[in-house]
C-alpha cells in the first residue's frame, strides 16, 4: 500500500464531497456510485439465482432417481419372495430350475440396487450441501442489496456543487495527490472507487491507519476516506 497522506478527520468529508461532486459532474447523466453498486449486486444475484436453481434441479433429479431405485428394489423383493413361495410347492425339476434361476437373478439385482442406492445417498448429500450453500449466499446477497437500495433511496437530488469552495478548504498537498489519484469512500469492506471488496488482510490494513490519514486502495490506488457502513 502506498504511503498514506495526512488530512484531519474534520476535512476528510470535504475531500469525499469534492470527489463525489467531480465524478458526478464528469458523468452528469450516468449512475452514481451507489446506483452502480446496486446494479452490480442485482446482476450478481441474477447469476447466483440461476446457479441456485440448477443446484435445486440436481437435487430434485437425484431424489427421483432414489425413488426409482427404491421402487425397483421393492418389486424385486416381491418377485424373490414369490419365487421362494412357488419353490415350496413346485415339484417339476425344470420349473424349479427356472424359479431358482429367477430368484438368484432377483437377489443379485437387489444387491446391485443397494449399492446404487448407497452411492445415490452419498451424492444427494453433496448436492444438498451445494444447494444450501447457494441459498446462504443468496441470503447474504439479499442483505447487501437491501443495504444498497437504502443507500440509493437516501441519495439527495442531483445539484451543482461549488467545487472551488471545497477545494479552498483543503491543503495543497492533499489536492495535488487527489488530482492524480482521486478519492473514494471506504465502508469497512468495499472501495467505492473500484467497488472491489478487499480481502480481510487488506481491509485490516486500511482500517488500522491513523484517524488523520488517508490510506490508498490496494486495488485501484485511490485515496480512501473511511466511513461507517450506513454512510
Amino acid at each position: 500500500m502506498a504511503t498514506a497522506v495526512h488530512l484531519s478527520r474534520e476535512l476528510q468529508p470535504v475531500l469525499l464531497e469534492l470527489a463525489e461532486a467531480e465524478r458526478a459532474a464528469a458523468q452528469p447523466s450516468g449512475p452514481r456510485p451507489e446506483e452502480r453498486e446496486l446494479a452490480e449486486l442485482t446482476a450478481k444475484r441474477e447469476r447466483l439465482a440461476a446457479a441456485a436453481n440448477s443446484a435445486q434441479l440436481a437435487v430434485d433429479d437425484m431424489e427421483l432417481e432414489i425413488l426409482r431405485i427404491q421402487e425397483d428394489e421393492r418389486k424385486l423383493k416381491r418377485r424373490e419372495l414369490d419365487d421362494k413361495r412357488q419353490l415350496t410347492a413346485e415339484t417339476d425339476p425344470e420349473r424349479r430350475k427356472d424359479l431358482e434361476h429367477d430368484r438368484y437373478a432377483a437377489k443379485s439385482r437387489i444387491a446391485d440396487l443397494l449399492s446404487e442406492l448407497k452411492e445415490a445417498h452419498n451424492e444427494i448429500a453433496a448436492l444438498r450441501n451445494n444447494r444450501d450453500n447457494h441459498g446462504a449466499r443468496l441470503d447474504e446477497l439479499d442483505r447487501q442489496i437491501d443495504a444498497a437500495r437504502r443507500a440509493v433511496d437516501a441519495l439527495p437530488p442531483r445539484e451543482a456543487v461549488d467545487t472551488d469552495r471545497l477545494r479552498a478548504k483543503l491543503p495543497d498537498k492533499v489536492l495535488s495527490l487527489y488530482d492524480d489519484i482521486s478519492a473514494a469512500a471506504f465502508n469497512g469492506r468495499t472501495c467505492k472507487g473500484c467497488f472491489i471488496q478487499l480481502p480481510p488482510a487488506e481491509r485490516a490494513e486500511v482500517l488500522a491507519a491513523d484517524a488523520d490519514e488517508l490510506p490508498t486502495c490496494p486495488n485501484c490506488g485511490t485515496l480512501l476516506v473511511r466511513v461507517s457502513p450506513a454512510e
Side-chain angles (χ1 to χ4, degrees), residues 59-214:
V59 170
D60 293 342
D61 289 344
M62 184 52 62
E63 286 177 343
L64 289 175
E65 177 66 8
I66 288 173
L67 290 175
R68 180 197 65 77
I69 293 172
Q70 290 173 333
E71 179 60 25
D72 286 351
E73 181 192 4
R74 283 191 290 269
K75 289 178 180 178
L76 285 166
K77 283 182 175 180
R78 288 195 296 267
R79 180 173 134 193
E80 193 267 335
L81 286 173
D82 184 57
D83 287 343
K84 185 177 180 180
R85 283 193 296 268
Q86 292 187 60
L87 280 167
T88 60
E90 185 61 59
T91 58
D92 180 75
E94 288 299 320
R95 178 57 182 159
R96 286 185 62 84
K97 182 179 178 180
D98 291 340
L99 288 171
E100 289 283 6
H101 181 272
D102 189 68
R103 186 186 177 198
Y104 174 81
K107 292 176 70 174
S108 177
R109 180 55 184 152
I110 288 171
D112 291 340
L113 287 175
L114 289 175
S115 178
E116 291 177 23
L117 189 60
K118 182 179 179 180
E119 291 179 4
H121 278 301
N122 290 337
E123 185 172 351
I124 200 169
L127 291 172
R128 284 170 175 161
N129 184 60
N130 183 51
R131 176 200 60 190
D132 294 345
N133 285 339
H134 277 81
R137 290 169 61 194
L138 275 175
D139 289 342
E140 173 59 25
L141 198 52
D142 284 338
R143 286 190 287 271
Q144 294 178 23
I145 289 173
D146 287 342
R149 186 170 289 113
R150 288 194 297 272
V152 169
D153 292 342
L155 286 173
R158 291 181 186 269
E159 57 183 29
V161 176
D162 186 352
T163 55
D164 289 337
R165 176 183 61 83
L166 296 174
R167 283 178 167 271
K169 295 181 179 181
L170 297 168
D172 290 342
K173 180 180 179 180
V174 172
L175 282 174
S176 177
L177 187 58
Y178 160 74
D179 287 336
D180 285 338
I181 61 177
S182 191
F186 179 71
N187 65 3
R189 297 176 66 86
T190 303
C191 167
K192 298 298 183 177
C194 59
F195 291 94
I196 296 297
Q197 182 171 300
L198 302 185
E202 292 179 349
R203 292 202 303 263
E205 187 177 355
V206 170
L207 293 172
D210 290 342
D212 65 344
E213 289 184 351
L214 295 172

Side-chain angles (χ1 to χ4, degrees), residues 20 23-25 27-33 35-36 155-161:
E20 292 176 346
R23 272 195 291 269
Q27 296 180 321
S29 60
R32 287 181 276 188
E35 294 167 336
R36 288 200 303 272
L155 286 173
R158 291 181 186 269
E159 57 183 29
V161 176

